[in-house]
Every structure is written in structure tokens, then in C-alpha cells.
Amino acid sequence: MASASQTDLERRKQISVRNIATVGNVNDIKQSFNRHLHYTVVKDRNVSTSRDFYLALAHSVRDHLTSRWIRTQQNYYEKDPKRVYYLSLEYYMGRTLTNTMINIGIQSACDEALYQMGLDIEELEEIEEDAGLGNGGLGRLAACFLDSMATLGMAGYGYGLRYEYGIFTQKIIDEEQIEEPDDWLRFGNPWEKARPEYLIPIHFYGRVLHDETGAHWIDTQTVQAMPYDSPIPGYQNNYVNTMRLWCAKSPHNFNLKFFNNGDYIQAVLDRNFAENITRVLYPNDNVFEGRELRLKQEYFLCAATLQDIIRRYRNAKFGEQTVDRNSFDEFPEKVAIQLNDTHPSLAIPELMRIFIDLEKMSWEKAWNICTKVFAYTNHTVLPEALERWSCGLLAHVLPRHLEIIYEINARHLQRVSELYPNNLDKLRSLSLIEEGDDKKVNMANLAVVGSHKVNGVAAIHSEIIKKTVFKDFYEMTPEKFTNKTNGITPRRWLLLCNPGLSDLISDKIGEEWIIHLEQLQQLKQFINDANFIRDIQRVKQENKMRLAEILKKEMNIEINPASLFDIQVKRIHEYKRQLLNCLHIITLYNRIKCNPNLSIVPRTIMIGGKAAPGYHMAKQIIRLINKVAKVVNNDPVVGNKLKVVFLENYRVSFAEKIIPAADLSEQISTAGTEASGTGNMKFMLNGALTIGTLDGANVEMMEEMGKENIFIFGMNEQEVEQLKQTGYNAWNYYNTNVELKMAIDQINNGFFSPKNPDMFKDVVNVLLNHDRFFVFADYQSYLDCQEKVSDLYKNPIEWTRKTILNIASSGKFSSDRTIAEYGREIWNVEPSFDKLPEPHQTPISKTNNTTVTNNTNNATITNNAKPMKNGLKNE
Ligand SMILES: *Cc1c(COP(=O)(O)O)cnc(C)c1O
């Protein structure tokens, strides 16, 4: 382990010319580290724990952000660019320390400083808790987007909720998933800055009174929203943007009534109820759960954020003066709001309420502004994921918003009936309200009507939404619909997680790829370079050995680093078809048992991911995988030919270790169900080959790399549609495929659960009688394709060539490209690679912001920044 970290350290040292450890900056870091250990952590070295050292390092690194952060916000205030507000109920950030060191350009200096102090920086990095404020792809996308907005110099803000408990910790006990609360703030969070002075009141419940002066939402209960800010540094450009997360706080006068009745104790205890709003992240991925608390979370985010946006808009700089902008005419030129799925779509009626009830604007004018400001990203077509809030619940919690939604709908349906006279079908399908016993608001329809742009997240998905969920909306307003294929940040998903590969790439083509990922194309010229091929193989082997060491150390699992690492990590969901993977495992096992002398390519098949706690079938899938693993791994006949590992508690920091070690990436969803996927992109960028269906971004990955460099199998989207039309009968496949029948019978008869033979009856029942995702239909094609994978793996040179072509073709999947497209085609904001001046350089001011000194000699420059005339009006 020591020698492995040593080579990593060596690599990290040379990673960037703008990231050199000099005697000066190493000494600075050592000094500030010791200062923070003493004054911030309040420890001396003799009694310090690893966590104390981590905190001292985190605070030292944070110090490097502070001036850049303040100055970036000053710069926005001075220049007043259009602000981009990303609204998301989830931000799956993972760890912050290493990413910050990299983006600020001090990683090498920190490595060296800690080394000189006799501390193991990698051990300290492991202390940091993941910020797991997300479920999966949607939350991680928000995190990648924040990184890219800062890197592209956009005035971007991430607005979300500061959940006290993030996504649960998954334990596997007796082959089953057990959820433990994720108490991630237990030891404090050095990356956030509470702003208790900027509380914002949020109202719930109450009733609406109408009089000649308009509507009045009265008798409400109030909860305060307290902002917590975290810095989002761009990649070595001195921009630091803000992620602002709201935390629910009881108002001072909470339950004053009881207070006056003398029940003081009860009044204090009741304060907790209000604060439950931001207590915990709902652990559902792609599933809607219509709970009151979740509705309150969604509204809490929207209401607090809009008040903040409007305050910032009003408080603009006009020449020398700060003036209160009292007209909203410029609002669409200064504000863009992106809705990450429908979760924050109550922002639409909330902005209407502010404009109409509080600002006394006309409906027409308010609506005109709203629709220019909002844009909506759709993330799924699965019906169980689409938000449909009960009107009864809305009437109770947000009575005025329900009225506004009805009014939006009435005017919208008026337009519909003008376009399509006497057409009840159109009225029904385009309505925001779904009639029935329990009337519901279709939030996706609300988001489409209230936005000027609606986007899908991969080309195929953006086409599908135009043909299905939004068919009639597309016919009515085709100009709204657009595609923005997802991406991932190459900083975290290559530079940070795979220093070996990053270094190798930079040796060959320089470092531009870090912010211009298309440049990876240049690697194609080395496709026949034997040394390069060997180096790529060496790096992959090192990454595999590192993962093997981690699994041995953390979970006491032994795997063979010479075997093919076949990996499927993502949330457990029927549509992602972990069961198909499982059937492949069982089939391989049966083949080995039938013929113990069978010569096969040894595989380690790893599956990881969390199941939503209330999703029975997903939890059964985890159980089945673990039961199958137990049988396979303990069968002496199998030997080292096949090993099955369930990767416990898959999360961002674990993904960073798993993905660089993968040979084969499993992306096997039923065609038409995975909107994009981003895990697929991470694997491709890290030199794994993909076995997958023509679904989500896999389609575009194939276009980029060529179909000979990816293993595509199974039905395409049209074939799936056809099968739905003609009728899918799983029994036909079961009855005609002996290997499939054998695997299913084993699951059904308790072969993997001898103590409880009925354990998986429900799984088999679904597969045979109610399978919405057609697992059996793709089974044979999948098996055949896996044989091709094994065949290619026997030829390491050819395998590695395809690996190189994968890496070289992955440039399109940078979230920088995605964000540049959002900027140009939705937000009307131009990306830029300009840098802000370093903190010690001439400060940003009106008089000399065009002449930036490039002197980097710390000692000779005095920081002559003066406080601005008007102060920094709570930017
Ligand atoms: C990228 C990522 C995901 C999304 O993976 P998909 O395969 O696209 O579903 C989920 N969880 C974590 C921790 C990730 O890093």
C-alpha cells in the first residue's frame, strides 16, 4: 500500500504546470495547517486524531477559496451578468477536499506539505464524509453542472436543501439491505458557511381571502429558511460560485399561543416540528411518493430561492450607485431558472403569486416574464416517477398556489380550445389537472406550460418525450422542445479519480483536455503505439489492484486482479435490469458446473447500488444477488473462474475507486427506459468497454466511438415498442431456452435459498407474468454478447486498442459541453474561458479591471483592495 501511494503521490506532483509545489507554497500550507490545528481545531499534535488533521487541512485549503469566492461575487455584482439559477432537490456532491485542492491548483503543494509533516494525505482524504444529498444520476448531474458552470465562468448558483440526513448508508446483513441514517454533519462541515443573518420566512397552510385589492394568503404558519453557502470553485480560473442550501428553522414566536397558555415547555419542543422540513432526503430514485412532507420540502426550496433571486435582482448596481430596481421589465434578461425535473416546479406558481399578489402585476405581464425565465429538464418517462400532487393536499398546504395553478390551467385550456375546437381528447391530455376520484396536478404539464424550453437528457430520450408524455404539447409548441445530452465533469471523473490515466494522457497530449475534453481525440494517433498500449494496460492493472486492496481491507473480500472486472453500479431498479446480469451469472455458474474443465475467461462480476427502502422488488434483487454470490463463491468447482461481489454502500466516493478499475461497464436497461445515464460516461472516460443496449446516452457513445468498439445487444427502442404492441409472453422464452429455464427454476426452487425455498417466488412471478422490462427477451442476445466480450478479452492488445478509442471518443460527454449548450440555447449566457485575477493581483474594480497584472510574485504585490463604496449588498 505504501509503495502504491508513493507512486500516486509522484503522479499527483507532476499533474499540472499550474499546480507545482514550490518551497514557498509548501511552507505556507504547513504554516496554516499548524495554525488551524491550534486555533480552529484546538488541539496539539500529540493528541490529534486523523480527523483533527483532516479538519486542519480542510480549513487550510478553504482559506485559499475565501478571497476568490468573495471577489467572484464582487465581480458579479459589478458586472451584473445574467444569473443562472439551478434549482434541484438533490446535489450528490461526494467529497470536497481533493476536488478543491485540484481546482485551486494546490494539490501538489498540499501533498508535499503533508508528506513533510509525516502525514498520509490519502488517509486524511478518506475521513471526509460524502455529502450524499442525492439519490443517483439526477443529483450527481446537478453536482457536475455546478463544477462546469464555475469552470465556464458563468454566474451560476445551485439552490437546494441542506438535508440533515443524506442518502442512507447501506449495510448488507444476511444478504439483505439494511438502511442506516446518514448523519453526515455529526462532526461538522468545514465547507459550509451558515448565514443566520439572512433568514427568509416561508408560509404554509392558512386560507385565501379575496377582496377588491386582490388575493390575500392569511392565517399561515411560518417556517424560516436559513441559507448555508458552499463554495464551488472553477478549474484553475479563480472563479468561485455559490451553492446555497436552505435549512428549516423555527421562527422566534413559534407557537406563541401555547406559550401564552403557559405551556412553555411544549412550545419549545414543538419548534422541532417545523425544522423537520429539511431533516431527511427522500431516498427514492425515479419514483414519486406523494407525501405532505415532501411537498413542503419542494415548496420550501422554491419559495426561499425565489425571494433570494428577487432580492439579488432588485439590489443592482447602477453606475456608481446601488439602486433598488423597481421594475421587473429586465427580469428575463437578468435571470434564468433551470428546473431539475419537476421537483422544484412549484417555483412557477410561486413566482406568479409574488408578481400578482405582492407586486400587483397584471396576469399577462407576470405570465410573460415567468415563461421567459423558466426552463424545465425532464429526466424520465417512467410513469411511476412522474409527480402528480393531489389537489386535496395542495389545497391544504398551499391553497393560494392551487388557485393559481387552476388559473394557469384555465387560460392554457382556453388557448387549447381555440387551437383545437371541440376536441375533448386534447383538452384532457393537455390539462394540468387530471380528473378522477382524487384530482391531481400533473407537475410535468405545469412545468412545460410555464417554461420557454423543455429538454430531454439524451438524443433518444428527447425524441421519446416528443412522441409520448409530451406528444400533444410538442404538436402545440414544437419550438419549446430541445435536447441537452448529459455529461460528467472530467475534473472529478478523470483527473481526481484516476491520476495514473490522467498523467499518461497529459504526457501524450498536454493538459488542455482537462477543460477541452474533445482534445482526447488526439489519443487516436497512439492506437498502434506499443508503449502507449502497455502504459494504458499498466494503469488499468494498478487501478484494479488498488480496488482489490480496498475490498480486502474494508470488506475482507478477495478478488483476482487478473480476472475481467465486469461491473454494474447504479441504483437498483427493475428497469436497469440487474436481474439480467444476475441471470448471466447463474448461467455461467451452471456451465462451469456442467463442465468443470470448461476453459473460460475468469471474471469478477461486481454489482452495487442502493434500493429505495420501500421498493420491495429492488430489495429482493439485492438479496438474490447476494444469495447467488454466496453459492458461487463457495463452490470449489468454480475456483477462480467466477467470482461475484456485491459492492456495499455504493456512493460518489466509492464510485471514484470502482470505475477506474473496470474492464467492462454494464449499461443494460430496457431500450427506451434509461433517459441518459451518466455512469456509462464515467466508465467510458476511464477506459472500460461497454456492454449495453441502445438506450439513453449509450446510443451517442456508440456514434462517437463506432459500433465496433462497443458491445451492443438486445432490442432497440422500436423493437421494444413492437413487442409491447404484439404482446410480450415471458413463458415463450422460458419454455424454449434451456439455460434460461434452468436458471429460473433454480431461483424458484430455492437452489440459492435452501433454508427458505420460497424466498424468490415473487421475483420469478414478476419475471414470468408481469415483467414490464422484458428481461427474458434480451437474455440470449446478452449471453451471446458476453461471449464476444470474453473472446476479445483473450486478446489484450485488441482490447486495449478499443479501450483507447473509447477514451479518445469520450470528449462529447464532458458536462462543460452540456453546460455550454444550456448557456447558448436556453439561458442566453455565453461560456468563457477567461480567468479572474488571482487574489493577490490587482483587485477587480471599475477603473482597472481590464489591466490585470500577471506578476505572480507574492511578496512584491500589495493587496490594495478597498471596500466598495456601497458595500456588498448581501450578494
Ligand atoms: C454517476 C452516478 C450515478 C448514476 O449512474 P447511472 O449508471 O447513470 O444510473 C449514481 N450514483 C452515483 C454514486 C454516481 O456517481
Side-chain angles (χ1 to χ4, degrees), residues 828-843:
N828 194 25
V829 167
E830 194 56 29
S832 137
F833 288 99
D834 292 350
K835 293 181 171 72
L836 288 179
E838 302 273 328
H840 57 265
Q841 288 173 332
T842 313

Side-chain angles (χ1 to χ4, degrees), residues 519-535:
Q519 296 203 8
L520 292 180
Q521 288 286 355
Q522 293 177 51
L523 293 173
K524 286 184 180 162
Q525 61 189 293
F526 305 108
I527 193 76
N528 292 315
D529 179 334
N531 289 324
F532 187 63
I533 291 174
R534 214 180 335 94
D535 285 340

Side-chain angles (χ1 to χ4, degrees), residues 92 130 134-138 140-141 144 285-286 488 492-493 568-571 575-576 650-656 659 666-667 674 676-683:
Y92 206 167
D130 278 38
N135 276 290
L138 175 146
R140 183 54 233 176
L141 186 76
C144 285
D285 187 71
N286 276 306
I488 55 171
R492 184 176 295 264
W493 297 113
Q568 184 177 25
V569 281
K570 48 180 77 253
R571 287 296 291 253
Y575 85 81
K576 291 173 184 281
Y650 180 60
R651 61 199 185 283
V652 172
S653 61
F654 201 10
E656 290 164 9
I659 290 167
E666 299 268 356
Q667 307 299 336
E674 186 75 273
S676 164
T678 48
N680 47 3
M681 302 166 186
K682 299 169 197 166
F683 282 99

